[in-house]
Amino acid sequence: MNTNRIFNFSAGPSMLPLPVLEKAAAELLNYNGSGMSVMEMSHRSKYFEEIINSAEALFRKVLNIPDNYRVLFLQGGASTQFAMVPLNLLSSAEGTADYIVSGNFAKKAYEEAQKFSPNIRLAASTKAENFVRVPNQDELQLSAEADYVHMCFNNTIFGTKFPYIPETGNVPLVADMSSCILSEPVDVSRFGLIYAGAQKNVAPAGVTIVIVRDDLLKEPLPGTPTMLTYKTHAENDSMYNTPPCYPIYICKLVLEWIESIGGLEALAERNRQKAAKLYDYLDNSQLFKPVAQKESRSIMNVTFRTDDPELDAKFAKESAAAGLSNLKGHRSVGGMRASIYNAMPEEGVEALLKFMAEFEKNN
Amino acid sequence: MNTNRIFNFSAGPSMLPLPVLEKAAAELLNYNGSGMSVMEMSHRSKYFEEIINSAEALFRKVLNIPDNYRVLFLQGGASTQFAMVPLNLLSSAEGTADYIVSGNFAKKAYEEAQKFSPNIRLAASTKAENFVRVPNQDELQLSAEADYVHMCFNNTIFGTKFPYIPETGNVPLVADMSSCILSEPVDVSRFGLIYAGAQKNVAPAGVTIVIVRDDLLKEPLPGTPTMLTYKTHAENDSMYNTPPCYPIYICKLVLEWIESIGGLEALAERNRQKAAKLYDYLDNSQLFKPVAQKESRSIMNVTFRTDDPELDAKFAKESAAAGLSNLKGHRSVGGMRASIYNAMPEEGVEALLKFMAEFEKNN
């Protein structure tokens, strides 16, 4: 099928695996002999129950999630989690939580939490360095009395990632993994709660994945909206109200695709190779410079720039014309950003490298 | 295209117009020459901005929405609105609101509001009659000091609809129109706020439509999560965070389809005819009885039963086998329910009538 598809380096929503889209298109009018589209079926139907149950089972298998964790399919994106985490995990309206601020979204989470308690603490921040690196373990000022520690594992805008899982003792660690979930294996047991907006590696925008340890499913702060209560969603198997059925279905197809190519180990190897090629080029380029510090580099979002903002703009424009879209960096960083999530094929990275080499020769 | 599609009488998610699904399938891998699926595109891209702007413009045109109202595309369904309405419209944590309880969801909205103020009042309820009718205007005990009056315009479970728009004086009227929006013209200017989960008449599950009058976009109660603040979403044109892009795209296609068949007037005429055929049959049947009282009848959800629960169960089973799915009534009512939303073709209603006549003859 000649679909004239381009290489889309968008930070999110972003590329989905082609086999997933092809399967979705083929069964869009009639899912599995049901006589209807997945978009049309009752969420209480046996067809949809099989879809959501499979999506959960595959998530558990692919990410190796322990039995004492629940997998929830919610709405509202990471931005809603910025409120749900404190509303559900703070022990009281005076509860304490430690926030590690390693980028814009981590900062937003920190600010949102302050709506719900005066005792939200800044455990560390690399804002003074414009977030070109994440804090080290020994920079974290953690309190043993905190109800939880919050972090953002991969910082989409700055192209950084934690090279380690923070040690928080008995305090539950909460991680926003919106832009790195399913990119490589992760030891879920080190976290109390993991959340992720789906629109990078999991599914189209509209579903949020929450992986939460059983003991954290408790009564929320008084006045918490029912829909923002983890316990309610867990007790109803993510069906307290009508879930975002179609994105959940695409999530299932994506997980099947991950299994088909060898699971998370194989995918991680591929992701690391894709990123290594770009970083190798950047480390040796006379024109382009990587933005993130070496030990904090993301394998999902590769940020770089020249010394000339006008040249950066020219790069963004000419690369788009060449079928490499969305390479312009976020306005708070400038330069360029290549988001190379799971669905970006190696050919996309090769095409980008080729374009960069040409651009470097000509400018 | 022989797709072997069935007639799906589900209360929601429910049927979508076939031309909408065909268009979505045709451009699933490559939208409008963009080289990518709508599921993959940045919500900040020119392609998606055109989609969401068109969806809003069409909504305004089709529903004839006055200029002093905003149209928002949110997440979380009507269940999230049950909290957002009091959080944003109550004047204080002691504010007063009047709730008209005409069914299960109206009751849920009433209960949720009580989390945010002790002064949530019951303006009327038909629970004692198991909600077979909606309250009349002269039964409504309304307070001129209320911050708003809340109602559910069409009660999906019981098959009832308000035959009138309650007169609330200067107090803003808030209506849940999840199961009747876009089914017929409505005078939006009579309401302060209208909301609707999309999964009946608008789009697949995952997007919530909010139509809100400008003057109601004010500061919410202290401690309201940012994502539950109408003002934030309005100021950011529904792009404060990543919106549910794909359901919004389908919403645009559905609105284009409504325009193509003559707009809301033509659609309303068709909907009334479909419902009239069913009610006519029920009013003259020896076996089946309508559930909703005549003056409260919904044109979207037609509820009926026999006098024998076992016969009802037999009907549900045999009709499903005949390609008429999801006719079993909600457990709180029993019997049968035929949801005949916009996308249910007249042939579907004819097929149901034929099946009912056969069933009546044989039982």
Side-chain angles (χ1 to χ4, degrees):
Chain A
M1 193 190 293
N2 176 11
T3 54
N4 294 313
R5 283 172 52 82
I6 60 167
F7 294 119
N8 172 15
F9 293 90
S10 169
S14 47
M15 285 185 86
L16 286 163
L18 189 56
V20 166
L21 293 175
E22 286 172 341
K23 184 147 201 222
E27 59 195 18
L28 195 136
L29 273 74
N30 190 344
Y31 173 76
N32 206 13
S34 64
M36 55 183 114
S37 175
V38 173
M39 294 190 228
E40 302 175 294
M41 50 182 61
S42 168
H43 57 300
R44 307 284 180 199
S45 65
K46 67 177 199 288
Y47 292 104
F48 186 71
E49 287 201 349
E50 189 275 334
I51 289 171
I52 194 169
N53 291 342
S54 294
E56 182 183 339
L58 283 164
F59 230 113
R60 291 188 169 282
K61 187 176 173 197
V62 164
L63 250 189
N64 196 21
I65 299 172
D67 286 344
N68 61 325
Y69 286 74
R70 300 295 302 264
V71 179
L72 307 178
F73 298 94
L74 307 182
Q75 293 187 62
S79 297
T80 298
Q81 294 307 307
F82 297 167
M84 282 182 80
V85 166
L87 284 168
N88 287 273
L89 301 195
L90 285 175
S91 53
S92 77
E94 279 81 42
T96 303
D98 289 335
Y99 275 70
I100 306 172
V101 173
S102 56
N104 270 18
F105 287 101
K107 187 162 163 282
K108 279 192 168 189
Y110 170 60
E111 288 164 355
E112 183 76 6
Q114 293 171 45
K115 289 192 165 198
F116 311 110
S117 167
N119 300 317
I120 305 300
R121 295 160 20 103
L122 185 65
S125 171
T126 48
K127 187 174 191 310
E129 298 161 66
N130 200 27
F131 299 125
V132 294
R133 67 174 184 89
V134 301
N136 300 316
Q137 174 80 48
D138 57 19
E139 292 175 287
L140 306 180
Q141 303 198 1
L142 302 176
S143 153
E145 283 73 47
D147 291 323
Y148 63 91
V149 176
H150 183 279
M151 71 181 300
C152 180
F153 212 82
N154 185 88
N155 300 282
T156 323
I157 291 176
F158 306 94
T160 64
K161 187 189 77 159
F162 277 78
Y164 69 100
I165 299 176
E167 180 51 63
T168 60
N170 288 325
V171 179
L173 178 60
V174 175
D176 178 354
M177 291 202 186
S178 294
S179 50
C180 62
I181 196 164
L182 298 181
S183 65
E184 53 187 346
V186 63
D187 182 355
V188 173
S189 74
R190 297 281 303 278
F191 298 86
L193 188 150
I194 292 169
Y195 63 86
Q199 64 269 19
K200 288 105 172 8
N201 268 340
V202 183
V207 61
T208 314
I209 309 300
V210 172
I211 301 164
V212 54
R213 212 171 61 206
D214 283 341
D215 61 294
L216 299 177
L217 294 168
K218 50 190 184 179
E219 287 302 318
L221 296 184
T224 298
T226 305
M227 280 291 290
L228 299 196
T229 305
Y230 292 127
K231 195 165 170 279
T232 301
H233 292 294
E235 285 170 356
N236 291 278
D237 297 324
S238 303
M239 297 272 238
Y240 171 72
N241 71 330
T242 313
C245 302
Y246 200 73
I248 292 171
Y249 155 72
I250 301 288
C251 168
K252 171 180 172 271
L253 297 185
V254 167
L255 290 161
E256 286 171 351
W257 171 79
I258 292 176
E259 283 233 285
S260 77
I261 62 166
L264 227 43
E265 301 281 356
L267 192 51
E269 183 57 29
R270 210 179 85 165
N271 285 333
R272 288 178 198 131
Q273 278 177 19
K274 285 190 296 180
K277 282 182 186 172
L278 282 171
Y279 287 120
D280 282 352
Y281 181 86
L282 293 171
D283 286 336
N284 293 293
S285 168
Q286 304 298 309
L287 179 66
F288 299 107
K289 295 170 178 54
V291 169
Q293 285 190 9
K294 206 160 196 166
E295 55 288 348
S296 295
R297 284 175 176 174
S298 167
I299 60 168
M300 294 283 101
N301 314 96
V302 178
T303 46
F304 55 101
R305 63 160 64 96
T306 70
D307 283 328
D308 177 359
E310 278 181 33
L311 205 54
D312 290 348
K314 189 180 175 199
F315 182 92
K317 196 173 165 186
E318 292 185 358
S319 57
L324 308 168
S325 84
N326 287 300
L327 282 162
K328 191 177 172 211
H330 190 272
R331 63 185 180 280
S332 62
V333 179
M336 280 74 76
R337 171 175 54 177
S339 293
I340 49 172
Y341 297 116
N342 286 349
M344 173 61 68
E346 287 175 59
E347 302 83 63
V349 173
E350 298 295 349
L352 172 57
L353 285 166
K354 195 171 157 220
F355 181 86
M356 290 170 78
E358 293 258 338
F359 190 89
E360 180 160 358
K361 205 174 69 186
N362 298 336
N363 289 280
Chain B
M1 194 189 294
N2 176 10
T3 55
N4 295 312
R5 284 171 52 84
I6 60 167
F7 293 119
N8 172 16
F9 293 90
S10 169
S14 47
M15 286 185 85
L16 285 163
L18 190 55
V20 166
L21 294 175
E22 287 172 340
K23 183 148 202 220
E27 58 195 19
L28 196 137
L29 273 75
N30 190 344
Y31 172 77
N32 204 14
S34 66
M36 55 183 114
S37 175
V38 173
M39 294 189 228
E40 302 175 294
M41 51 182 60
S42 167
H43 56 300
R44 307 282 180 199
S45 65
K46 68 177 196 293
Y47 291 104
F48 186 72
E49 287 202 347
E50 189 273 334
I51 289 171
I52 194 169
N53 290 341
S54 294
E56 183 185 337
L58 283 165
F59 231 114
R60 290 189 169 281
K61 187 177 171 196
V62 164
L63 250 189
N64 196 21
I65 300 172
D67 286 345
N68 61 324
Y69 286 74
R70 299 296 302 264
V71 178
L72 307 178
F73 298 94
L74 306 183
Q75 293 187 63
S79 297
T80 299
Q81 294 308 308
F82 298 167
M84 281 182 81
V85 166
L87 284 168
N88 287 272
L89 301 195
L90 285 174
S91 52
S92 76
E94 279 81 42
T96 303
D98 288 334
Y99 275 71
I100 305 171
V101 173
S102 56
N104 270 17
F105 287 101
K107 186 161 165 282
K108 279 194 167 189
Y110 170 59
E111 288 164 355
E112 183 76 7
Q114 293 171 45
K115 289 192 164 198
F116 311 109
S117 167
N119 300 317
I120 305 300
R121 295 159 20 102
L122 185 65
S125 171
T126 48
K127 188 174 190 311
E129 298 160 66
N130 201 27
F131 300 125
V132 294
R133 67 173 185 92
V134 301
N136 299 317
Q137 173 79 48
D138 57 19
E139 291 175 287
L140 306 181
Q141 303 198 0
L142 302 177
S143 153
E145 283 73 46
D147 291 324
Y148 63 90
V149 176
H150 183 279
M151 71 181 300
C152 181
F153 211 82
N154 185 87
N155 300 281
T156 324
I157 292 176
F158 305 94
T160 64
K161 187 189 78 158
F162 277 78
Y164 68 100
I165 299 176
E167 180 51 63
T168 61
N170 288 323
V171 179
L173 177 61
V174 174
D176 178 354
M177 292 201 186
S178 293
S179 50
C180 61
I181 196 164
L182 297 181
S183 65
E184 52 187 347
V186 63
D187 183 355
V188 173
S189 74
R190 298 281 304 276
F191 298 85
L193 188 150
I194 293 169
Y195 64 85
Q199 63 270 18
K200 288 104 170 12
N201 268 340
V202 183
V207 61
T208 314
I209 309 299
V210 173
I211 301 165
V212 54
R213 212 171 59 206
D214 283 341
D215 61 295
L216 299 177
L217 294 168
K218 50 190 185 179
E219 286 304 317
L221 295 184
T224 298
T226 305
M227 280 292 290
L228 298 196
T229 305
Y230 292 127
K231 194 165 169 280
T232 301
H233 292 293
E235 285 170 355
N236 290 277
D237 297 323
S238 303
M239 298 272 238
Y240 172 72
N241 72 329
T242 312
C245 302
Y246 201 73
I248 292 171
Y249 155 72
I250 300 288
C251 168
K252 171 180 171 270
L253 296 185
V254 167
L255 290 162
E256 286 171 351
W257 171 79
I258 292 176
E259 283 234 286
S260 77
I261 62 166
L264 227 44
E265 302 280 356
L267 192 50
E269 183 55 31
R270 211 179 85 164
N271 285 333
R272 288 179 198 130
Q273 278 177 19
K274 286 189 295 179
K277 282 183 186 173
L278 283 169
Y279 287 121
D280 282 351
Y281 181 85
L282 292 170
D283 286 337
N284 293 295
S285 169
Q286 305 297 312
L287 180 66
F288 300 107
K289 294 169 178 55
V291 170
Q293 284 190 10
K294 207 159 196 166
E295 55 288 349
S296 295
R297 285 174 176 174
S298 167
I299 59 168
M300 294 283 100
N301 314 97
V302 178
T303 47
F304 55 101
R305 62 160 65 95
T306 70
D307 282 329
D308 177 358
E310 278 181 33
L311 205 54
D312 289 348
K314 190 180 174 200
F315 182 93
K317 197 175 165 186
E318 292 185 359
S319 57
L324 308 169
S325 84
N326 288 299
L327 282 163
K328 192 177 171 211
H330 190 272
R331 64 184 178 281
S332 62
V333 180
M336 281 74 75
R337 172 176 52 178
S339 293
I340 48 172
Y341 298 116
N342 287 349
M344 173 61 69
E346 286 176 59
E347 302 83 63
V349 172
E350 297 294 350
L352 172 57
L353 284 166
K354 194 171 158 219
F355 181 85
M356 289 170 79
E358 293 258 339
F359 190 89
E360 181 159 357
K361 204 174 66 184
N362 298 336
N363 288 279

